[in-house]
Amino acid sequence: MRTTVERKVAVGVDPTTVGRLQRRTLLVLATTQVIGGAAVAVSFTVSALLAARMGGTSVSGLAQSALVVGTALFAVPVTRVMTLRGRRPGLGLAYGIGATGAALVVVAVAWGSLPLLLVGLFLFGAGSTANMQTRYAAADLAEPARRGRHLSLVVWASAIGSIAGPNLAPLAERVWQRWGFVEYSGPFLMSAVACVMAALVVVGALRPDPLLTARALDRARTPRGVDDRAVGDRAVGDRAVGDRAVGDRAVGDRAVGDRAVNAGPADVAPKSRLDEVDASGPTPEATARPAGSATPGTAPASGRRTNASGLRAAAREVAASPQARLGLAAMAVGHAVMVGVMTMTPVHIDHQGHPDTLRVIGWVISVHVAGMYLLSPVVGWLTDRVGRRTVILGGIGLLVAACTVAGLSGPHTVGLTVGLGLLGMGWSATMVSGSTLLTESVGLANRASVQGLADLVMGLGGATAGALAGVIVAWSSYAALTVVAGLVTVPLLAAALRPTVYSGRVA
């Protein structure tokens, strides 16, 4: 049965308005990302510096780890709220917790308390959780052929705030110091205000809720008596996972018959999802199953809770799909490499004795963030055009190149800037293609939980990388860190190159 919230959303929803609703949703999400991006990006500039000054270089990585662990762990309750109540309350809650954490960091700086600083950064991680989850909301009402591009557009919007954030840190520092605040507390005061603004925008303007609307439309277009389960956007045949599948078994971007294709838009019918489903009607296989029945490994599409709901069901659904596993691995590895290298770059610059450390760090991190976000629409287009797996492989190449350039740069700012820019581009490629592949490989019922699980795994991997990065640099060097980070990509490369066999054929 649908939840009360879902039934309310279903009232008055006309499928012909989905395109207009999606455009409005993208606008609201993009606005939120501009504000939230600035709030989160500024923390990257000073969090490691604060920890280093309070506890030394060996613990400087803990600041970023606390932030990333918070981002990861808050993904679980936030996506739980989204599963039950929709994207809007979940995002609003996350931004509110992030604002609380930023305020607590300011108190920790004033008191000189490292433990309190780490607690504040942990809570501030919820703001980053909101930013990460926003990209998924962009895909809820998107057509399969445009899913990668819509997701990447929201990622791109955060570039404005994310690039401005590090460069606003010196300004925020000067403004708040005039009011008597301790050094380096100004950027987090700015972050607290930005998180509150982002929460107000998403709670007030993200209406109707995209996830609840997608569920309501999915139920409305499913004839009574037809199995309401779905894995992906549409499933036909014995088993299907992905955008569209027809035949005995298909897992991936799209499969027709026994052949699986890493598809681009040319392989997708030009009609919309709603028109396609409405025109085709139920298949004989679907009609033959009792209403509400489910093929093993699948879940109800309507958001109805089952005994296997939550993270366990999400983990089983990911484990059952090679494509979902690859998407999650791409996100986790790309994020771990990015966090590990990026975390220690400000500390590395500080050790070089630059006369204007904060300005140099702001410039390098801004280029890094530009690499992460500015080209994301191109990455989304390539994801839809040449395929998810191909873009993942390209992202791995960029990450390895970034580690090589940054590691060989020594004290030269230009080399670090180029290396961090490549690092951001590699993260963008693995994040956009991996998120798209994961989203389309699971059903609506568990989609939010699977996305929360993915961000949890990704965040914990990033937190581990951040903590180990500080230890590696303290015991050896920044160059050694980049070598280790490059080696981390090897398992992902092997998985992306591994042929996937479906019904006796290789995809």
Side-chain angles (χ1 to χ4, degrees):
M1 295 178 63
R2 288 178 288 176
T3 64
T4 302
V5 174
E6 194 173 327
R7 285 195 297 270
K8 290 179 179 179
V9 171
V11 176
V13 174
D14 183 355
T16 62
T17 67
V18 172
R20 179 176 57 82
L21 291 178
Q22 176 66 351
R23 289 190 294 273
R24 173 182 168 82
T25 297
L26 290 175
L27 178 61
V28 173
L29 294 176
T31 303
T32 303
Q33 283 291 78
V34 171
I35 303 171
V40 173
V42 72
S43 68
F44 291 126
T45 307
V46 298
S47 58
L49 291 176
L50 285 172
R53 296 198 174 189
M54 288 183 182
T57 301
S58 61
V59 301
S60 59
L62 293 179
Q64 193 65 27
S65 294
L67 179 62
V68 176
V69 167
T71 302
L73 296 184
F74 277 112
V76 177
V78 167
T79 53
R80 168 68 172 159
V81 172
M82 291 179 181
T83 298
L84 296 178
R85 307 293 296 179
R87 301 285 188 192
R88 185 174 65 252
L91 293 174
L93 173 65
Y95 278 125
I97 297 173
T100 302
L104 194 59
V105 168
V106 175
V107 175
V109 174
W111 290 356
S113 172
L114 179 61
L116 188 61
L117 172 71
L118 297 179
V119 172
L121 289 172
F122 173 81
L123 293 176
F124 184 66
S128 183
T129 298
N131 277 2
M132 299 297 288
Q133 286 292 316
T134 298
R135 73 191 191 277
Y136 293 125
D140 288 333
L141 295 173
E143 294 183 15
R146 295 187 174 93
R147 184 174 290 128
R149 277 167 284 186
H150 286 189
L151 188 149
S152 66
L153 283 174
V154 172
V155 174
W156 173 81
S158 63
I160 300 173
S162 297
I163 294 173
N167 290 289
L168 289 175
L171 175 62
E173 179 69 12
R174 289 194 299 271
V175 169
W176 291 105
Q177 276 189 353
R178 293 175 183 174
W179 292 85
F181 287 93
V182 181
E183 185 181 19
Y184 290 155
S185 61
F188 279 95
L189 283 166
M190 186 189 79
S191 293
V193 174
C195 280
V196 171
M197 292 174 61
L200 293 175
V201 170
V202 75
V203 171
L206 193 61
R207 300 172 183 271
D209 190 282
L211 179 59
L212 299 185
T213 302
R215 289 177 181 168
L217 291 172
D218 185 74
R219 290 292 298 235
R221 70 192 182 194
T222 303
R224 176 173 291 186
V226 176
D227 176 23
D228 64 356
R229 66 151 185 107
V231 179
D233 290 315
R234 186 184 180 202
V236 182
D238 294 335
R239 184 181 181 190
V241 181
D243 282 342
R244 186 185 177 198
V246 182
D248 294 332
R249 183 183 181 191
V251 181
D253 295 332
R254 187 187 176 204
V256 180
D258 291 334
R259 177 173 62 90
V261 181
N262 192 8
D267 299 307
V268 182
K271 294 185 293 183
S272 69
R273 295 186 317 182
L274 296 177
D275 292 339
E276 183 180 44
V277 175
D278 291 341
S280 61
T283 63
E285 295 91 337
T287 307
R289 288 190 296 270
S293 65
T295 299
T298 65
S302 64
R304 183 171 68 238
R305 285 189 57 77
T306 66
N307 292 332
S309 62
L311 288 180
R312 286 184 300 169
R316 281 197 294 269
E317 191 157 356
V318 171
S321 169
Q323 299 292 74
R325 294 199 302 269
L326 177 60
L328 190 152
M331 296 160 59
V333 172
H335 194 65
V337 173
M338 185 275 290
V339 170
V341 176
M342 184 275 299
T343 295
M344 296 310 298
T345 299
V347 178
H348 175 65
I349 294 172
D350 191 38
H351 286 172
Q352 305 309 310
H354 289 283
D356 194 354
T357 298
L358 199 58
R359 184 186 62 81
V360 174
I361 292 173
W363 169 249
V364 173
I365 296 300
S366 292
V367 172
H368 168 66
V369 173
M372 292 173 67
Y373 299 118
L374 281 185
L375 294 179
S376 56
V378 177
V379 174
W381 178 81
L382 288 172
T383 298
D384 290 333
R385 185 67 179 175
V386 304
R388 286 60 162 143
R389 188 185 298 264
T390 302
V391 176
I392 289 173
L393 288 170
I396 295 172
L398 288 169
L399 290 173
V400 172
C403 292
T404 303
V405 174
L408 295 175
S409 65
H412 302 293
T413 304
V414 174
L416 281 174
T417 303
V418 173
L420 269 289
L422 291 172
L423 186 70
M425 293 169 62
W427 178 89
S428 179
T430 55
M431 180 63 62
V432 171
S433 56
S435 298
T436 304
L437 184 58
L438 178 70
T439 296
E440 67 193 11
S441 299
V442 297
L444 280 170
N446 285 328
R447 183 168 293 175
S449 295
V450 167
Q451 291 161 347
L453 173 66
D455 281 1
L456 174 64
V457 172
M458 182 177 69
L460 291 178
T464 303
L468 292 177
V471 176
I472 293 172
V473 171
W475 286 357
S476 183
S477 65
Y478 181 78
L481 170 64
T482 61
V483 172
V484 174
L487 292 175
V488 171
T489 65
V490 173
L492 176 60
L493 178 64
L497 290 174
R498 181 182 179 183
T500 306
V501 180
Y502 304 115
S503 301
R505 301 202 178 195
V506 178

